[in-house]
């Protein structure tokens, strides 16, 4: 990586100082502090944060505004109705999602500038609790400049959690709201659940901790039956698959229930890979539904094939062949997307590392979506993701830090 690239893509003074002062012992102390009082983290956390320069920050903001403009169109629900699998359509859908997360690969354009290219998007929560904790511990354990912040729109730790609390709890009491997943204590993201519960005062429940009476939901605490009014939903139906027997000992989310969903499960499907073909932007790679192809591109090496209904990169075909396309029996459920070339913009101790940045929005009831925090992932492998980077260091989950300024 040239000095020019490092200067354009990074905040050079922070990167040089961080690398010069880095030690393995500091990293071990950092991980220990990150887990203290919570739980062991089963996923890899990277050795370094990403230092995001203002030029890149502004592009990330602009890219998100274009996507939100599409989501706020009057016909958006009509455009995305087929995104929801019939078997998983949940009644009483909300007017808008409460979370938006947009994943961008950091690439280089023809001018040599770093630009974010959309890879994935979700109307589903991410690690909103953990990312704030992660930024705080990075700053403490690596003695980073106080001026560096993971937040947008002038937020700080206090105002961020106030916004988060308003989105999740609303006008209810915290004990009437629960974070729910299929097996909450044993999820890889359990540390996020614990940080969230600490700041918001809500319960963490597995779906089997919840019982149904008529159309109302309850949980037990200290021998008391407590009615739930809201569920902060972290359950992804793909994880249940055909194992719907679990609903018999709890409840079926697809029934008419007296419950508020934060966010409603249908938004997981509406805002997803399904949405990307409707976007036309310099920040979005060419993406088409497979069933709309009039002919198979002759340069398939420049494309990636993705199933619509999968998560965590499952089922993605990177090195696409004509045979791969022809053997797909449900082309309406696949997209063909032009590959983006990740630029190794993060300078590790030995080489450049590729990065993705997830922009994370909160959308409280009756308000506008607000960009608030971010998540980063570093990679040396063929793809971003744990199983593609198992044998590397300076890879894994991280966060972008920016110089604080009035937004």
């Amino acid at each position: 990586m040239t000095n020019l690239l490092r200067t354009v893509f990074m905040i050079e003074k922070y990167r040089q100082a961080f690398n010069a002062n880095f030690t393995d012992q500091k990293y071990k102390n950092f991980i220990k502090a990150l887990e203290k009082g919570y739980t062991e983290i089963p996923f890899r956390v990277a050795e370094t944060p990403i230092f995001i320069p203002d030029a890149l920050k502004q592009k990330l903001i602009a890219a998100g505004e274009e996507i939100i403009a599409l989501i706020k169109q009057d016909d958006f629900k009509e455009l995305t109705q087929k995104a929801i699998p019939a078997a998983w359509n949940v009644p009483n859908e909300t007017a808008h999602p409460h979370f938006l997360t947009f994943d961008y690969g950091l690439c280089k354009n023809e001018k040599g500038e770093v630009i974010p290219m959309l890879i994935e998007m979700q109307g589903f929560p991410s690690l909103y609790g953990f990312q704030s904790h992660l930024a705080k511990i990075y700053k403490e354990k690596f003695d980073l400049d106080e001026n560096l912040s993971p937040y947008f729109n002038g937020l700080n730790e206090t105002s961020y959690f106030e916004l988060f609390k308003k989105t999740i709890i609303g006008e209810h009491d915290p004990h009437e709201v629960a974070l729910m997943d299929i097996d909450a204590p044993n999820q890889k993201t359990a540390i996020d659940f614990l940080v969230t519960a600490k700041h918001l005062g809500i319960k963490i429940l597995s779906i089997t901790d919840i019982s149904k009476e008529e159309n109302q939901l309850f949980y037990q605490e200290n021998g008391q039956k407590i009615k739930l009014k809201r569920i902060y939903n972290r359950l992804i139906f793909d994880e249940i698959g055909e194992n719907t027997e679990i609903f018999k000992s709890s409840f079926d989310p697809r029934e008419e229930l007296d419950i508020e969903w934060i966010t409603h499960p249908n938004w997981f499907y509406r805002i997803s890979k399904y949405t990307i073909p409707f976007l036309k932007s310099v920040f979005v790679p060419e993406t088409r539904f497979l069933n709309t192809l009039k002919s198979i591109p002759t340069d398939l090496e420049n494309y990636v094939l993705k199933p619509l209904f999968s998560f965590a990169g499952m089922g993605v075909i990177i090195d696409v062949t004509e045979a791969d396309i022809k053997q797909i029996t449900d082309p309406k459920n696949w997209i063909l997307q032009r590959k983006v070339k990740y630029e190794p913009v993060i300078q590790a101790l030995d080489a450049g590392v590729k990065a993705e940045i997830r922009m994370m929005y909160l959308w409280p009831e009756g308000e506008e979506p607000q960009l608030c925090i971010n998540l980063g992932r570093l990679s040396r492998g063929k793809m971003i993701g744990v199983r593609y980077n198992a044998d590397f260091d300076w890879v894994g989950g991280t966060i972008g830090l920016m110089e604080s300024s009035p937004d």
Side-chain angles (χ1 to χ4, degrees), residues 337-396:
Q337 186 176 70
R338 183 168 283 277
K339 284 179 180 176
V340 298
K341 184 182 178 184
Y342 287 70
E343 193 69 29
V345 298
I346 310 301
Q347 185 63 43
L349 299 183
D350 59 344
V353 178
K354 295 175 284 188
E356 273 187 11
I357 294 180
R358 173 175 294 174
M359 301 290 270
M360 296 161 58
Y361 301 72
L362 290 170
W363 196 343
E365 292 285 340
E367 297 187 20
E368 292 296 311
Q370 185 168 333
L371 176 59
C372 52
I373 200 167
N374 72 89
L375 179 153
R377 286 180 290 192
L378 303 186
S379 172
R380 299 181 193 244
K382 197 166 189 178
M383 282 179 68
I384 301 274
V386 174
R387 60 186 170 280
Y388 302 101
N389 290 275
D391 301 322
F392 301 118
D393 60 4
W394 285 64
V395 298

Side-chain angles (χ1 to χ4, degrees), residues 126 165 243 256 262 282 325 353 363:
S126 187
K165 189 171 185 176
N243 184 29
E256 285 280 350
I262 308 295
V282 68
I325 293 176
V353 178
W363 196 343

Side-chain angles (χ1 to χ4, degrees), residues 6 21 24 40 47 80 100 102 114 118 127 135 155 198 202 204 258 267 269 275 281 286 300 311 336 355 361 365 392:
R6 287 203 301 269
N21 293 306
D24 288 336
E40 187 175 328
E47 281 80 347
T80 57
L100 296 171
F102 307 146
V114 70
L118 185 70
L127 306 183
L155 293 171
K198 177 183 175 182
I202 63 176
I204 301 170
D258 179 21
W267 287 106
Y269 298 105
T275 322
S281 166
E286 172 201 339
L300 278 177
F311 64 105
L336 189 67
Y361 301 72
E365 292 285 340
F392 301 118

Side-chain angles (χ1 to χ4, degrees), residues 196-243:
T196 298
K198 177 183 175 182
H199 282 275
L200 273 55
I202 63 176
K203 293 293 293 183
I204 301 170
L205 300 177
S206 299
I207 190 169
T208 49
D209 294 326
I210 300 172
S211 60
K212 181 170 79 79
E213 295 181 17
E214 296 182 348
N215 69 337
Q216 297 184 336
L217 302 181
F218 299 87
Y219 70 95
Q220 294 278 336
E221 185 171 57
N222 300 324
Q224 264 194 314
K225 186 172 71 175
I226 299 171
K227 182 185 175 188
L228 276 173
K229 294 186 178 178
R230 272 191 173 187
I231 289 176
Y232 173 28
N233 183 44
R234 300 298 294 268
L235 186 153
I236 296 174
F237 289 148
D238 297 50
E239 291 189 65
I240 292 176
E242 296 180 6
N243 184 29

